[in-house]
Amino acid sequence: MKRSIAVVGTGRMGSALARALLAKGHRVTVWNRTKEKAEPLALLGANIAPSVLEAVSAAEIIIVNVSDYAATAAILRDADITSVLRGKLIVELTSGTPHGARAAAEWWAGHGASYLDGAIMATPDFIGTDAGTILVSGQGQAFRDNEEVFRALGGNVQHVGQDPGRANALDSALLSLMWGELFGALNAIAVCQAEEIDLGELGRQWTATAPVVEGLVSDLIKRTHAGRFASDDETLSSISAHYGAFQHLVELMDARGIDRSIVGGYDAIFQRAIAAGQLQGDFAALSQFLGKAA
Ligand SMILES: NC(=O)c1ccc[n+]([C@@H]2O[C@H](COP(=O)([O-])OP(=O)(O)OC[C@H]3O[C@@H](n4cnc5c(N)ncnc54)[C@H](OP(=O)(O)O)[C@@H]3O)[C@@H](O)[C@H]2O)c1
């Protein structure tokens, strides 16, 4: 069933969301603070609303994608707008924290609106494609009732739990994984530059070794989930093996005067585990030294 949807915020991501909905034949009204950014969507069939109130009045579902939750609150938490939103579904796709999502869900429940909170695990070019991933949490029934709308946004849109904060929590976890690789790459670039290794060579060797790293990450998650921290027959590498290689890296970096900001945190975690007698443990044993502020 084609739905009447308002997209509030048509920056890079909001415009991609609106385009994907239009491509699937939904009736889309858009509003953006800077009207010019919404205008190209009119050529694709979107209705450009002159005010937020008009945008949300015309819609059954309100998808919000602005810079942060404070901007969403500034836009929607107005008495006139709030009264129009009663009985409607708000889908917050702006990035935020788990507690921010839970507070927003509670606030909207108190104002008679349904609320789902999503985390977009994709760049705008993935939106509307089979590989587009969006994690959505909150009222499962509201998600199921509007599944066709979510499917328009990406082939991999999943409801990940009733807790409205779950999608944002997973988002932060996955981003920390991504930054681990990106900041690790910055450190690798610094090492190659200091050692006069061509970065094209680094790129080629990374392509060759990336599957090994992916395997290690999956193994780490699986072993931590199972609580298998002691080294055993299936251990891929112990803390001791990693720590030895880590010391070589630090020695090289110190000799070349490379800043330790990125690897300093690794050292602190190794030291905690070693002080606790876990040097011979599986690498997964390190996960016990990070769960709460030590
Ligand atoms: N781009 C990505 O790859 C990506 C991926 C995942 C998640 N996200 C998330 O998607 C959200 C939007 O990102 P984006 O890349 O689309 O950013 P963007 O292009 O900078 O767009 C930001 C949007 O927020 C609006 N906005 C900001 N403050 C506002 C306020 N106080 N009142 C009204 N509107 C306000 C902007 O309006 P104006 O046009 O008037 O400035 C614009 O529509 C963010 O939460 C981001 O983390 C983005």
Side-chain angles (χ1 to χ4, degrees):
M1 191 175 55
K2 300 307 171 196
R3 312 299 292 273
S4 177
I5 303 164
V7 176
V8 172
T10 58
R12 284 175 201 89
M13 185 53 85
S15 293
L17 298 169
R19 283 195 298 272
L21 294 166
L22 288 164
K24 287 286 191 278
H26 293 290
R27 294 184 300 283
V28 178
T29 300
V30 295
W31 176 85
N32 196 58
R33 179 179 60 180
T34 311
K35 195 172 168 224
E36 298 75 57
K37 283 196 204 163
E39 278 164 356
L41 295 163
L43 298 172
L44 302 173
N47 176 35
I48 314 283
S51 67
V52 188
L53 184 59
E54 285 178 64
V56 303
S57 301
E60 305 157 71
I61 301 168
I62 292 87
I63 295 180
V64 188
N65 187 256
V66 289
S67 51
D68 53 32
Y69 285 18
T72 302
I75 296 166
L76 295 185
R77 294 191 191 187
D78 161 281
D80 288 346
I81 294 171
T82 306
S83 65
V84 169
L85 289 176
R86 192 163 281 277
K88 298 189 178 189
L89 170 64
I90 296 157
V91 180
E92 173 65 280
L93 295 184
T94 301
S95 299
T97 60
H99 55 272
R102 288 173 197 131
E106 207 178 313
W107 197 89
W108 286 111
H111 289 78
S114 300
Y115 180 88
L116 287 170
D117 199 288
I120 301 175
M121 310 306 302
T123 46
D125 48 330
F126 276 86
I127 300 301
T129 71
D130 285 350
T133 296
I134 303 179
L135 308 179
V136 180
S137 54
Q139 304 160 353
Q141 195 57 50
F143 179 81
R144 287 187 289 279
D145 290 347
N146 297 287
E147 211 153 345
E148 192 184 339
V149 172
F150 289 109
R151 294 278 157 253
L153 300 178
N156 190 29
V157 179
Q158 306 163 45
H159 183 254
V160 292
Q162 283 290 121
D163 167 10
R166 174 68 77 96
N168 283 346
L170 274 165
D171 185 29
S172 287
L174 290 164
L175 284 173
S176 75
L177 233 169
M178 177 190 80
W179 286 318
E181 283 205 359
L182 287 174
F183 279 93
L186 290 177
N187 205 79
I189 288 168
V191 167
C192 285
Q193 286 173 332
E195 288 285 324
E196 298 183 354
I197 294 170
D198 176 63
L199 292 184
E201 173 78 11
L202 174 64
R204 283 189 294 281
Q205 299 306 342
W206 163 243
T207 304
T209 51
V212 177
V213 177
E214 210 173 287
L216 283 166
V217 171
S218 298
D219 188 63
L220 164 62
I221 295 169
K222 257 195 297 195
R223 287 191 73 108
T224 303
H225 187 217
R228 290 172 58 209
F229 298 127
S231 283
D232 58 29
D233 289 351
E234 290 173 1
T235 286
L236 298 172
S237 42
S238 63
I239 292 177
S240 161
H242 280 276
Y243 189 58
F246 177 72
Q247 283 172 314
H248 302 151
L249 169 69
V250 171
E251 209 177 303
L252 180 164
M253 288 172 65
D254 288 350
R256 295 294 188 183
I258 299 170
D259 182 86
R260 278 203 197 190
S261 300
I262 292 172
V263 303
Y266 305 170
D267 196 31
I269 299 159
F270 274 130
Q271 294 305 336
R272 266 179 236 149
I274 292 165
Q278 303 262 340
L279 185 62
Q280 299 310 325
D282 188 280
F283 184 85
L286 292 180
S287 64
Q288 302 168 101
F289 298 90
L290 196 69
K292 298 236 159 46

